[in-house]
């Protein structure tokens, strides 16, 4: 891995490194050497990982902006709506490509380019291999506006009851309360929905697999209930944007897929039954590598076989 100072001698460059080889650390160190650094990545998890590393290196928040490529593009599109023509609502699916193309059009205006040039003295793009066509075009255009380094990893080329079964007796009072809350949906939908979610936690067979997702749903409903947002679409956008700024706090114990943990580190990692990676359709070896490169202190791998043979990844 090159030294951070070496990258500053290159106007445009690429650092290719497998997961777990210090790419995030290098990004933070390069950012620490600048005064107006923009770091772009693809996910909120990536933002959190980079910000945590910057905090560890005591890099002032005022000197580094960290955002997703799409989030940054959307903000600039709304900053120059006459040229970029962003959608009125939150972009969905292919509309994000239109957002990126709109920012490309805006960057064709000298005044807009001057704004970007005055805002950043260097731009770093994380997980560059995950960029699609419009994002690649955007990165290429940005590289002519400010010094840019492309940093990317080779890890990626990117309850139901049985029929006729009666519920336990202890569930009856809770179910009755849930039905009462549901009856009030027409009068005050948001508050009734929050009550239903709260009551559901009291069910004996309640199993929650995505605590973070449920918290975000409850926050969005609370925004509507408090009349801070008129619709759930607006509320969920606000919750998402807030999470992109302040990040998300991971629980002490996390159960997840390797894909969602790219860029994050953990003290201890357990990979249960590693043979299941052989059943993945794509990138079996790459996903396995990401999983085993997350720990900083210990790694435990279990399996039904002594050896696991995965097809060689296509680079």
């Amino acid at each position: 891995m090159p030294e951070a100072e070496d990258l500053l001698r290159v106007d445009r460059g690429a650092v290719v490194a497998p997961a777990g080889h210090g790419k995030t650390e290098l990004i933070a160190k390069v950012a620490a050497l600048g005064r107006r650094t923009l770091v772009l990545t693809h996910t909120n998890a990536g933002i959190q990982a980079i910000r945590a590393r910057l905090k560890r290196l005591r890099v002032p928040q005022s000197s580094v902006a960290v955002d997703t490529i799409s989030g940054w593009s959307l903000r600039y599109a709304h900053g120059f709506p006459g040229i970029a023509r962003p959608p009125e609502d939150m972009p969905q699916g292919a509309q994000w490509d239109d957002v990126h193309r709109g920012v490309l059009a805006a960057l064709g205006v000298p005044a807009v380019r001057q704004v970007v040039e005055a805002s950043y003295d260097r731009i770093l793009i994380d997980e560059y291999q995950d960029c699609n066509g419009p994002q690649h075009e955007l990165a290429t255009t940005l590289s002519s506006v400010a010094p840019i380094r492309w940093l990317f990893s080779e890890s990626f080329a990117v309850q139901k009851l049985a029929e006729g079964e009666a519920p336990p007796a202890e569930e009856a009072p809770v179910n009755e309360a849930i039905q009462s809350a549901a009856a009030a949906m027409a009068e005050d939908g948001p508050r009734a929905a929050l009550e239903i979610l709260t009551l559901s936690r009291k069910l004996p067979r309640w199993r929650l697999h995505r605590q973070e997702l449920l918290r975000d749903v409850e926050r969005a409903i609370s925004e509507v209930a408090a009349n801070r947002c008129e619709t759930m679409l607006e509320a969920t956008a606000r919750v998402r944007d807030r999470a992109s700024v302040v990040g998300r706090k991971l629980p002490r114990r996390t159960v997840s897929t390797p894909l969602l943990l790219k860029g994050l580190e953990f003290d201890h990692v357990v990979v249960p039954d590693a043979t299941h990676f052989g059943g993945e359709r794509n990138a079996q070896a790459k996903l396995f590598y990401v999983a085993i490169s997350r720990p900083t202190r210990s790694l435990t791998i279990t399996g039904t076989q002594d050896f696991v043979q995965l097809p060689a990844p296509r680079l």
Side-chain angles (χ1 to χ4, degrees):
M1 189 66 68
E3 296 295 331
E5 292 78 3
D6 295 336
L7 267 67
L8 299 182
R9 303 187 183 99
V10 182
D11 289 338
R12 305 182 194 178
V15 175
V16 182
H21 276 60
K23 177 170 57 64
T24 304
E25 181 80 9
L26 180 59
I27 291 174
K29 288 182 177 179
V30 173
L33 296 175
R35 292 180 297 175
R36 306 185 317 274
T37 302
L38 172 64
V39 181
L40 298 177
T41 185
H42 289 272
T43 65
N44 288 331
I47 290 177
Q48 182 178 353
I50 294 170
R51 284 178 176 166
R53 199 61 59 93
L54 290 169
K55 182 178 180 180
R56 187 184 305 172
L57 295 177
R58 298 183 179 180
V59 180
Q61 295 184 4
S62 59
S63 65
V64 184
V66 186
D67 204 346
T68 63
I69 295 176
S70 295
W72 182 88
S73 298
L74 187 61
R75 270 186 277 277
Y76 262 76
H78 282 294
F80 304 95
I83 307 171
R85 300 184 180 279
E88 295 182 0
D89 298 324
M90 181 58 57
Q92 303 292 332
Q95 287 182 320
W96 282 108
D97 290 344
D98 296 333
V99 171
H100 298 134
R101 295 188 182 100
V103 176
L104 273 172
L107 288 172
V109 178
V112 178
R113 295 172 66 92
Q114 290 172 7
V115 170
V116 177
E117 184 176 1
S119 300
Y120 313 111
D121 58 10
R122 67 202 60 190
I123 302 175
L124 311 179
I125 298 182
D126 187 24
E127 303 292 355
Y128 181 73
Q129 80 288 338
D130 289 339
C131 288
N132 60 16
Q135 290 172 336
H136 167 71
E137 294 179 26
L138 178 60
T140 302
T141 301
L142 286 173
S143 69
S144 65
V145 179
I148 187 169
R149 280 90 194 177
W150 298 337
L151 300 105
F152 58 100
S153 164
E154 290 183 329
S155 296
F156 286 91
V158 210
Q159 172 175 89
K160 178 179 179 182
L161 291 174
E163 185 176 357
E165 181 182 352
E170 60 268 28
E171 286 189 8
V174 180
N175 285 331
E176 291 177 4
I178 290 176
Q179 291 174 7
S180 298
M185 289 288 288
E187 299 178 4
D188 193 343
R191 296 188 187 281
L194 286 173
E195 185 177 356
I196 290 173
L197 291 175
T198 301
L199 290 168
S200 297
R201 289 183 170 88
K202 299 179 181 180
L203 294 171
R205 288 184 287 183
W206 167 272
R207 294 293 183 272
L208 181 59
H209 298 280
R210 294 290 302 277
Q211 177 67 45
E212 181 180 293
L213 178 60
L214 179 61
R215 282 200 301 265
D216 283 353
V217 170
E218 290 177 326
R219 290 187 184 111
I221 296 175
S222 297
E223 293 288 319
V224 179
N227 295 321
R228 289 189 290 267
C229 295
E230 294 184 0
T231 66
M232 278 296 292
L233 180 61
E234 180 186 354
T236 52
R238 175 176 292 189
V239 171
R240 183 206 57 200
D241 291 343
R242 186 184 302 148
S244 68
V245 173
V246 303
R248 299 183 185 275
K249 182 179 180 180
L250 290 174
R252 291 185 60 189
R253 296 177 180 86
T254 300
V255 179
S256 181
T257 64
L259 185 61
L260 297 179
L261 299 178
K262 290 173 58 183
L264 301 181
E265 292 181 345
F266 301 88
D267 290 340
H268 310 281
V269 170
V270 178
V271 180
D273 191 10
T275 56
H276 82 273
F277 282 95
E280 296 287 340
R281 291 186 177 182
N282 299 305
Q284 298 99 319
K286 295 178 181 179
L287 287 171
F288 181 68
Y289 181 79
V290 171
I292 64 175
S293 60
R294 299 305 92 202
T296 59
R297 298 178 61 182
S298 72
L299 171 64
T300 302
I301 302 176
T302 67
T304 57
Q305 303 173 10
D306 293 337
F307 299 95
V308 178
Q309 185 172 359
L310 303 173
R314 290 182 295 177
L315 302 180

